[in-house]
Amino acid sequence: MSNVPAIALNSGASIPQLGFGVFQIDPKDTAATVQTAFEIGYRHIDTAQMYGNEAEVGEAIARSGLPRDELFITTKCNNSNHGYDESQRALDESLSKLGLEFVDLYLIHWPLPGKDLYVQTWQGLEQAAKDGKARSIGVSNFKSHHLDRLAQETGTTPAVNQIELHPHLQQPEMRAYDQQHGIATEAWSPIGQGKGVIDDDRIGSIAQAHGKTPAQVTLRWHIQLGNIIFPKSVTESRIRENFDIFDFELTDQEMSTIGELDQGKRLGPDPDEFDR
Ligand code: NAD
């Protein structure tokens, strides 16, 4: 039905490589926007407790009438909910807002090293998975030293690590670490939040050569690298455009041209310094 590739996770589940992100979508627009995404063919939604729009995502899921097993729904444990009990209680709240019995993926949103509770929080996620409330569990914004500590203290490996990743911040070491440890890499802000990355002339020329837009070329670069992506938009034509990336292929030369655009430049905070 859909030509979105699936990526196998270490939990045994599989995730559609392209989804739809709802960060900064106003709750009043969220149900309609997610409904549009479902109509276009998206089946994977990336939300979070922090985004304040889980109930509206739930509304769109209920209205869609889509079978549960066709959907892949991710939410994330908020920074205010770190801790073994808190992370599980927070998931119960999310499930109730989403109108679901389980999420497909539950992530720790940020490691918050200053709080120093991410190991206990992870153990809460492990319990939630055992209880059948999350099919897969993972982390977001973790660096290799945070992941090493989880491995040492709990012995389990997250299914995914969701990190800031786009042509201006390519994170080669983190991607290699994830790959070596069987962790799937999810790329947040895949088109650099719609500024800078997609204005680059070299991406523009590649786009022209394929009769595609710079956003489509950037998303296609992620797909060919094996990253999982969920671009965000509230504009129907862009939601459609971002889904239409499976009828062309970038050459090795074009992949390396984009590979040269890395500036190591973050748009968001450094996870070692972000503590709120
Ligand atoms: P993005 O790279 O997806 O960019 C979105 C912006 O780009 C839109 O607001 C719009 O202005 C523009 N845009 C979208 N489609 C376009 C197109 N076809 N052409 C031109 N401009 C276009 O950035 P994002 O929203 O920050 O990231 C995507 C998703 O990643 C979020 O919705 C969220 O689900 C997730 N995310 C996670 C974290 C985290 O800490 N885990 C942080 C940020 C985002």
Side-chain angles (χ1 to χ4, degrees):
M1 190 204 76
S2 141
N3 43 9
V4 177
I7 302 264
L9 301 178
N10 65 16
S11 58
S14 67
I15 182 170
Q17 197 180 359
L18 173 67
F20 184 68
V22 298
F23 178 41
Q24 290 175 326
I25 301 188
D26 194 309
K28 72 174 171 25
D29 301 324
T30 302
T33 309
V34 172
Q35 193 173 352
T36 300
F38 284 149
E39 283 161 11
I40 290 168
Y42 292 82
R43 292 294 179 266
H44 162 191
I45 306 294
D46 185 87
T47 185
Q49 290 157 5
M50 193 188 283
Y51 304 166
N53 54 18
E54 288 172 303
E56 292 75 12
V57 169
E59 205 179 308
I61 293 171
R63 264 197 237 151
S64 75
L66 289 165
R68 180 67 185 88
D69 64 1
E70 276 189 27
L71 297 175
F72 192 101
I73 309 295
T74 299
T75 197
K76 314 184 190 87
C77 178
N78 201 13
N79 295 342
S80 53
N81 296 324
H82 273 223
Y84 179 76
D85 292 326
E86 276 297 282
S87 58
Q88 294 177 71
R89 186 200 52 73
L91 177 57
D92 288 340
E93 238 174 66
S94 290
L95 290 174
S96 142
K97 286 184 179 159
L98 289 162
L100 298 176
E101 284 172 11
F102 64 90
V103 287
D104 296 280
L105 182 60
Y106 188 39
L107 305 179
I108 303 179
H109 207 145
W110 288 88
L112 308 182
K115 272 199 182 172
D116 199 21
L117 282 172
Y118 64 83
V119 174
Q120 291 90 322
T121 307
W122 177 251
Q123 288 163 334
L125 267 62
E126 287 180 308
Q127 188 57 48
K130 281 190 197 122
D131 293 341
K133 293 176 184 176
R135 290 276 159 99
S136 303
I137 53 175
V139 296
S140 177
N141 299 303
F142 274 46
K143 292 189 174 180
S144 51
H145 66 96
H146 305 123
L147 289 163
D148 284 341
R149 190 165 157 213
L150 280 193
Q152 281 153 15
E153 297 192 24
T154 73
T156 53
T157 308
V160 316
N161 187 17
Q162 181 178 129
I163 54 174
E164 182 183 343
L165 206 174
H166 44 72
H168 286 171
L169 182 73
Q170 301 193 13
Q171 304 244 37
E173 293 86 10
M174 203 58 247
R175 290 187 59 249
Y177 179 102
D178 286 349
Q179 199 168 12
Q180 279 156 17
H181 293 82
I183 302 171
T185 302
E186 294 193 329
W188 65 254
S189 294
I191 55 168
Q193 299 172 1
K195 318 172 275 271
V197 166
I198 60 171
D199 301 322
D200 189 287
D201 288 346
R202 283 154 297 184
I203 292 186
S205 311
I206 296 171
Q208 228 173 358
H210 288 278
K212 289 284 179 180
T213 67
Q216 288 172 319
V217 163
T218 306
L219 294 170
R220 181 73 209 175
W221 170 80
H222 282 285
I223 294 289
Q224 289 182 216
L225 278 182
N227 299 335
I228 298 160
I229 47 173
F230 22 82
K232 169 255 174 186
S233 173
V234 287
T235 310
E236 178 170 349
S237 57
R238 285 176 167 177
I239 302 174
R240 203 174 283 286
E241 175 183 325
N242 296 344
F243 197 73
D244 181 20
I245 56 171
F246 298 106
D247 60 350
F248 75 112
E249 198 160 340
L250 300 174
T251 63
D252 291 347
Q253 178 59 53
E254 290 166 336
M255 289 295 288
S256 356
T257 300
I258 301 175
E260 284 159 17
L261 303 182
D262 194 6
Q263 304 174 352
K265 201 172 96 186
R266 287 183 189 277
L267 297 168
D270 184 318
D272 275 326
E273 287 156 19
F274 187 62
D275 258 325
R276 276 174 292 126

